[in-house]
């Protein structure tokens, strides 16, 4: 696929502009309660735009209803992508979309080509409205049992949008811990998260296949669905095996299963929590970083290195160990370039996260494993945290420089590590000079 560096820069700048504008709105006296420093407003705005969910201010307490609306708007625009939202408004006004705008839109949505792009974005918006509306209704009806209808409707709207966009922001100070054993909450929110994290291309393909408009599911969709299911199962098995007699000890069986399911789904993309992650074992915190680094799938609302990159890397390793240079899956060949790109994404992402963790541990002198969990959560735009001892994320204990580090990681995870790195190092210029092959012993 051709990499358009200039278009990627525009996408990055649009995110930065939206973050700064959101921080400015949150700094307005009528948007927050009490004091709000710029770095905390910037952190909150970045977490919302990058659909992460890490918080250094208690969302329901430290922000006013206006502030909640600002955060929710940032989540919705950030989840879709600013340039995509602007383009859609232009389409609705029947304005002509030029070639440059189409290139930007293509990069933003990870769309495979230029054909049918405008039609695709219309379907994307229709899908978002339908899925979020269903989530709003289900959550509103459930919250209505605990609060007046008007408040329940607002909470239903907020949490449905936050869940589908994989943001993890909540209007409850304890997030979803009070609903740990509730079937409606533990099914509705994870399903919204999964649908948002699969990617719009996958959702459209599944829809067309079910309507018999498509006769074969693509290799991309098969990999996304397989990896998503596998990672959720691994996450549940990890939690149940390591926490059965620890964090889950006092829970009844049904609640243990629901808590493991809810946490496993959120490990990958969102940031809602129904358990206190500070009580988890060190082994669980460490292994969960691999799930958070993976994140969601291309073209969706999730961040991270993506399920497809991990899948291609595993396929490459498997066939290399078998001595076979022709990798394939689902009766389709995988090009060496795609596998090498997956290796590169994982390698570079690991460097970013490890360096950030080392810097933070040296600057703020806090436990290494908890910092690693936080930096991985930020890069994967996950939002889960071991907490500051209260209701805030662990990032609340960081210095201003530490918070800025997390801000950069969230932005990097949302834009994409490959795109972010290309902006920094530039696109390689292909040389016409071909050198003789060198032999290296491994």
């Amino acid at each position: 696929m051709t990499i358009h560096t200039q278009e990627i820069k525009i996408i990055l700048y649009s995110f930065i502009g939206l973050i700064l504008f959101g921080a400015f709105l949150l700094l307005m006296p009528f948007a927050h309660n009490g004091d709000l420093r710029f770095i905390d407003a910037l952190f909150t705005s970045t977490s919302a735009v990058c659909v992460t969910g890490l918080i250094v201010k208690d969302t329901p307490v430290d922000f006013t209803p206006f502030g909640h609306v600002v955060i929710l708007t940032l989540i919705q625009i950030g989840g879709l992508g600013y340039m995509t939202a602007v383009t859609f408004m232009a389409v609705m006004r029947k304005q002509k979309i030029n070639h440059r705008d189409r290139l930007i839109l293509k990069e933003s949505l990870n769309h495979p080509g230029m054909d049918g792009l405008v039609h695709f974005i219309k379907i994307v918006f229709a899908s978002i409205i339908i899925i979020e509306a269903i989530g709003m209704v289900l959550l509103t009806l459930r919250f209505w049992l605990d609060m007046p209808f008007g408040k329940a409707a607002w909470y239903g709207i907020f949490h449905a949008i936050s869940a589908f966009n994989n943001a993890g922001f909540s209007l409850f100070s304890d997030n979803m811990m009070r609903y740990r054993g509730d079937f409606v909450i533990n099914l509705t929110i994870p399903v919204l998260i999964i649908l948002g994290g699969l990617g719009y291309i996958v959702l459209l393909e599944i829809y067309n296949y079910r309507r018999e408009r498509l006769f074969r599911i693509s290799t991309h969709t098969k990999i996304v669905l397989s990896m998503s299911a596998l990672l959720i199962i691994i996450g549940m098995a990890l939690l149940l095996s390591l926490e059965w007699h620890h964090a889950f000890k006092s829970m009844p069986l049904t609640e243990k299963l629901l808590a493991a399911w809810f946490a496993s789904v959120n490990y990958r993309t969102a940031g809602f929590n129904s358990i206190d992650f500070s009580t988890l074992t060190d082994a669980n915190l460490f292994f969960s970083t691999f799930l958070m680094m993976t994140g969601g799938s291309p073209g969706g609302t999730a961040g991270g290195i993506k399920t497809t990159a991990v899948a291609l890397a595993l396929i490459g390793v498997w066939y290399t160990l078998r001595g076979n240079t022709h990798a394939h899956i689902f009766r389709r060949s995988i090009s060496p370039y795609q596998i090498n790109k997956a290796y590169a994404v994982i390698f570079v992402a690991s460097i970013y996260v490890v360096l950030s963790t080392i810097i933070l541990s040296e600057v703020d002198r806090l436990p290494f494993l908890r910092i690693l969990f936080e930096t991985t959560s930020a890069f994967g735009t996950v939002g889960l945290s071991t907490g500051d001892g209260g209701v805030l994320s662990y990032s609340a204990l960081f210095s201003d420089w530490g918070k800025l580090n997390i801000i950069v990681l969230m932005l990097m995870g949302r834009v994409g590590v490959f795109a972010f790195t290309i902006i920094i190092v530039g696109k390689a210029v292909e040389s016409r000079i071909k050198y003789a092959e060198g032999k290296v012993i491994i």
Side-chain angles (χ1 to χ4, degrees):
M1 182 178 68
T2 304
I3 301 297
H4 301 280
T5 309
Q6 192 61 36
E7 282 66 42
I8 294 175
K9 285 183 179 180
I10 293 174
I11 293 171
L12 175 63
Y13 298 153
S14 69
F15 272 108
I16 294 174
L18 182 60
I19 288 168
L20 292 174
F21 181 66
F24 171 77
L25 291 178
L26 292 175
L27 284 170
M28 295 292 100
F30 45 83
H32 64 270
N33 299 311
D35 295 330
L36 180 66
R37 299 188 306 137
F38 174 74
I39 187 66
D40 292 333
L42 185 67
F43 190 102
T44 303
S45 180
T46 305
S47 186
V49 172
C50 297
V51 290
T52 305
L54 293 175
I55 57 172
V56 292
K57 287 292 183 179
D58 189 0
T59 306
V61 175
D62 295 326
F63 293 101
T64 65
F66 176 80
H68 296 158
V69 172
V70 171
I71 290 172
L72 189 63
T73 304
L74 294 176
I75 289 171
Q76 186 71 84
I77 298 176
L80 180 63
Y82 174 73
M83 293 307 300
T84 308
V86 170
T87 304
F88 177 75
M89 295 304 295
V91 171
M92 291 297 98
R93 292 196 299 268
K94 297 183 178 180
Q95 294 180 355
K96 187 176 180 180
I97 309 300
N98 59 38
H99 182 73
R100 184 180 182 80
D101 291 337
R102 290 174 185 268
L103 282 175
I104 296 171
L105 188 60
K106 172 181 171 292
E107 297 290 349
S108 179
L109 288 171
N110 289 105
H111 196 267
M114 300 286 283
D115 295 335
L117 202 54
V118 174
H119 177 68
F120 176 72
I121 195 174
K122 289 180 180 179
I123 296 176
V124 166
F125 269 82
S127 302
I128 291 173
I129 292 171
I130 293 171
I131 294 171
E132 288 183 348
I134 294 173
M136 291 173 191
V137 172
L138 292 174
L139 292 176
T140 297
L141 293 176
R142 175 58 190 87
F143 291 143
W144 196 10
L145 299 176
D146 303 327
M147 58 188 73
F149 178 77
K151 185 177 180 181
W154 169 238
Y155 274 50
I157 292 170
F158 189 97
H159 289 90
I161 293 175
S162 182
F164 179 75
N165 287 282
N166 286 218
F169 275 86
S170 175
L171 293 179
F172 299 107
S173 292
D174 63 352
N175 210 282
M176 291 295 149
M177 292 180 67
R178 68 184 67 188
Y179 293 109
R180 186 166 56 208
D182 188 277
F183 279 95
V184 176
I185 298 297
N186 280 273
L187 290 177
T188 304
I189 288 182
V191 168
L192 287 171
I193 292 169
I194 292 171
L195 291 176
L198 288 177
Y200 304 120
I201 295 174
V202 173
L203 293 179
L204 178 61
E205 196 166 298
I206 293 172
Y207 174 78
N208 286 332
Y209 183 77
R210 296 287 297 176
R211 295 294 298 270
E212 297 183 351
R213 297 174 181 172
L214 193 67
F215 298 102
R216 183 186 179 276
I217 295 292
S218 69
T219 304
H220 169 82
T221 295
K222 288 179 180 178
I223 290 176
V224 167
L225 295 177
S226 301
M227 281 297 296
S228 298
L230 179 63
L231 292 171
I232 290 173
I233 293 171
I234 291 174
M236 287 187 66
L238 188 73
L239 282 157
L240 290 172
S241 61
L242 295 177
E243 306 297 341
W244 189 274
H245 297 294
H246 191 255
F248 292 176
K249 184 177 181 180
S250 60
M251 299 181 194
L253 176 60
T254 303
E255 198 166 298
K256 286 179 179 179
L257 294 174
L258 286 176
W261 150 258
F262 193 87
S264 182
V265 172
N266 281 275
Y267 262 151
R268 300 247 331 291
T269 54
F272 290 102
N273 65 285
S274 62
I275 57 175
D276 184 357
F277 278 82
S278 66
T279 64
L280 300 185
T281 62
D282 287 348
N284 211 328
L285 291 178
F286 176 73
F287 284 115
S288 63
T289 59
F290 293 99
L291 296 174
M292 293 194 296
M293 277 283 287
T294 300
S297 303
T301 57
I305 58 181
K306 303 298 189 291
T307 54
T308 48
V310 173
L312 291 181
L314 291 175
I315 293 168
V317 169
W318 171 253
Y319 280 99
T320 299
L321 292 176
R322 294 183 64 186
N324 191 336
T325 57
H326 301 289
H328 62 270
I329 188 172
F330 301 124
R331 297 184 178 181
R332 289 293 185 273
S333 297
I334 305 297
S335 72
Y337 171 77
Q338 287 183 302
I339 292 176
N340 289 336
K341 182 178 177 181
Y343 290 150
V345 167
I346 294 172
F347 178 74
V348 173
S350 300
I351 289 177
Y352 285 141
V353 171
V354 170
L355 282 179
S356 295
T357 304
I358 293 172
I359 292 170
L360 280 169
S361 64
E362 289 300 312
V363 171
D364 291 321
R365 298 293 178 180
L366 293 169
F368 183 85
L369 184 57
R370 301 232 168 172
I371 293 178
L372 176 63
F373 190 91
E374 196 81 358
T375 53
T376 307
S377 180
F379 173 79
T381 66
V382 178
L384 293 178
S385 177
T386 55
D388 69 333
V391 298
L392 304 180
S393 300
Y394 199 62
S395 297
L397 301 177
F398 294 167
S399 63
D400 289 352
W401 284 109
K403 291 176 182 177
L404 187 61
N405 193 330
I406 296 296
I407 287 171
V408 173
L409 279 175
M410 289 191 287
L411 183 60
M412 184 187 304
R414 184 66 186 96
V415 175
V417 63
F418 196 70
F420 195 90
T421 305
I422 285 176
I423 293 173
I424 297 174
V425 303
K427 182 185 175 183
V429 179
E430 186 174 354
S431 175
R432 295 183 179 182
I433 301 174
K434 301 296 180 182
Y435 296 98
E437 182 177 338
K439 301 295 182 181
V440 180
I441 299 174
I442 298 179

